[in-house]
Amino acid sequence: MREGRPILLLGPCSAESVAKVLLTCSCIQAFAPHAVFRAGLWKPRTSPHAFAGVGEEGIAWLVQVQKEYGMPVATEVVTPEHVQLCVEAGIHHLWIGARTTSNPILVQSLADTLQAINNPAITLYIKNPINPDIDLWIGAIERFRKAGVTNIVAIHRGFSTLYKGEWRNAPMWSIPIETMSRCPDVPMLCDPSHIAGTTQGVEQLAAEAMKIGFDGLMIECHHDPSTALSDANQQLTPEQLQRLLEKLPTYTPHAIPDTTLVQLRKQIDEIDDEIWQLVARRLEVVEAIGEHKKATQMPILQTDRYDDIVQKRIAWAKENGLSEELVRTLMESLHTESVKRQL
Ligand code: PEP
Ligand code: MN
């Protein structure tokens, strides 16, 4: 995490009326005055029967929020026209939604528009694409960078997968973590609302993101979630949001590791040395087996043997406090490399 307080974007999924955005903002401002107030005007919904947002009409409502409560407002832009309308009205925090990031032609048209507008006051938040494609996400970041947008922030909102697990959108933490290391100058926020899909998971995911070292959070909040016109299941009440923020773990980034950390890292380096030497030795034996299979005209793939190894290791792992997932992931990598070597 970078220095300073976490970046927060808080507010309803959609702006529903001027009275409602003013009410929600007044609640949020009382406990998070430094946050950016979020509300969607144009909603790219999956179903044509779902509420698609109030559109242009809501711009004046957000401008009023900004004036009355002194909080900057953020909204989602999908087309160049949305960008023009928002910037002309003085809305400078704009986010690109997951469905838009997935479309490079649309992303390029938004980048061209921002390049022509050339307003350094704009902050652009780029959500990950709906599919777990890190290059598509980084590609979008690069298109805006190339267009001269200087204030770019990434938002991790989870990934759509065929098999629904615990969450509405799978967190797949390794993707935002890899994005952070490939784009170290781009702050990374987490949107636990769209990952969780229900209020229960939001607090846990928000805390996990902060522990990992994310720079902030985008969280949906509605004054009366059960009546919300979109994403009713995942929006927190202002009271729930306040409690979540109060409990949030905060970490001060240390630029210089202390002696404890240096010593522990030394141990890790030594263990890694041993692991890699063993991996290299294992692959030498794999190659010898490969030669033998070739000489005796035996096929490389022996699924019974592989399943047997994996099952034995899983049983051992469980007794020793390691997860089945870890065994499967490591064994799959080792096995793929072994088959390649024998080929
Ligand atoms: C939203 O923020 O309300 C939204 C539609 O998000 P996403 O693009 O992540 O689905
Ligand atoms: Mn939403």
Side-chain angles (χ1 to χ4, degrees):
M1 193 173 82
R2 288 154 188 80
E3 297 290 347
R5 60 170 80 87
I7 302 167
L8 297 174
L9 276 79
L10 312 171
C13 178
S14 305
E16 298 175 2
S17 72
V18 66
K20 288 188 198 177
V21 283
L22 288 170
L23 173 62
T24 311
C25 188
S26 76
C27 298
I28 292 175
Q29 202 231 20
F31 57 82
H34 303 292
V36 173
F37 182 76
R38 67 144 280 160
L41 301 179
W42 298 277
K43 307 296 298 176
R45 305 304 300 281
T46 303
S47 162
H49 309 297
F51 174 63
V54 297
E56 192 175 337
E57 185 192 356
I59 291 182
W61 309 347
L62 298 187
V63 170
Q64 199 176 333
V65 164
Q66 211 159 237
K67 259 202 207 126
E68 282 192 26
Y69 293 101
M71 281 169 81
V73 295
T75 199
E76 174 171 351
V77 287
V78 186
T79 68
E81 191 201 358
H82 298 163
V83 176
Q84 297 280 8
L85 287 168
C86 288
V87 178
E88 273 164 24
I91 297 174
H92 292 141
H93 291 256
L94 307 173
W95 85 79
I96 309 294
R99 290 157 190 80
T100 307
T101 309
S102 307
N103 182 338
I105 293 183
L106 205 44
V107 166
Q108 191 56 51
S109 69
L110 294 169
D112 294 343
T113 309
L114 286 166
Q115 184 161 28
I117 291 173
N118 188 24
N119 184 336
I122 292 170
T123 301
L124 189 71
Y125 303 83
I126 306 173
K127 291 200 174 195
N128 63 259
I130 30 184
N131 51 326
D133 184 338
I134 190 168
D135 292 320
L136 199 52
W137 194 5
I138 293 179
I141 293 171
E142 283 172 352
R143 282 177 200 275
F144 287 108
R145 263 204 199 126
K146 252 182 87 191
V149 181
T150 44
N151 305 316
I152 294 181
V153 178
I155 303 181
H156 165 232
R157 51 78 77 196
F159 300 91
S160 182
T161 51
L162 180 57
Y163 299 104
K164 294 289 167 215
E166 194 181 349
W167 311 113
R168 176 181 177 190
N169 289 293
M172 298 185 179
W173 295 106
S174 59
I175 297 182
I177 290 170
E178 167 82 11
T179 306
M180 287 189 228
S181 81
R182 281 169 59 180
C183 305
D185 55 332
V186 176
M188 176 68 71
L189 313 188
C190 178
D191 170 352
S193 306
H194 288 91
I195 298 176
T198 61
T199 53
Q200 288 83 3
V202 176
E203 188 176 322
Q204 179 194 329
L205 290 163
E208 280 178 21
M210 296 316 290
K211 286 183 194 169
I212 290 172
F214 279 61
D215 297 286
L217 301 164
M218 172 187 257
I219 302 180
E220 287 187 341
C221 170
H222 192 281
H223 73 287
D224 182 9
S226 64
T227 65
L229 300 180
S230 57
D231 288 350
N233 293 339
Q234 70 196 32
Q235 301 205 58
L236 303 182
T237 62
E239 296 71 30
Q240 288 171 324
L241 178 59
Q242 182 176 8
R243 272 200 304 277
L244 179 152
L245 294 176
E246 282 166 2
K247 286 204 259 166
L248 208 60
T250 49
Y251 292 87
T252 320
H254 292 290
I256 305 161
D258 57 30
T259 46
T260 312
L261 188 59
V262 170
Q263 276 167 10
L264 289 170
R265 283 182 172 165
K266 198 163 161 275
Q267 283 182 41
I268 287 283
D269 289 346
E270 284 165 11
I271 294 169
D272 281 354
D273 276 349
E274 286 178 38
I275 291 175
W276 287 110
Q277 278 171 27
L278 287 171
V279 169
R281 256 180 62 201
R282 188 187 197 279
L283 289 173
E284 278 170 23
V285 179
V286 161
E287 281 189 14
I289 294 179
E291 292 301 327
H292 180 72
K293 283 179 181 165
K294 203 163 135 191
T296 55
Q297 292 179 323
M298 202 188 284
I300 290 173
L301 199 59
Q302 304 278 329
T303 49
D304 287 357
R305 161 77 179 150
Y306 178 64
D307 291 345
D308 188 43
I309 295 181
V310 172
Q311 288 314 323
K312 274 194 192 126
R313 291 301 163 195
I314 288 174
W316 183 89
K318 281 183 181 161
E319 276 170 24
N320 289 276
L322 302 180
S323 74
E324 177 172 338
E325 190 192 355
L326 176 67
V327 175
R328 286 197 185 279
T329 312
L330 289 181
M331 285 306 294
E332 265 167 36
S333 299
L334 277 174
H335 189 237
T336 307
E337 180 65 20
S338 302
V339 171
K340 249 196 241 164
R341 292 274 180 131
Q342 295 190 349
L343 274 171

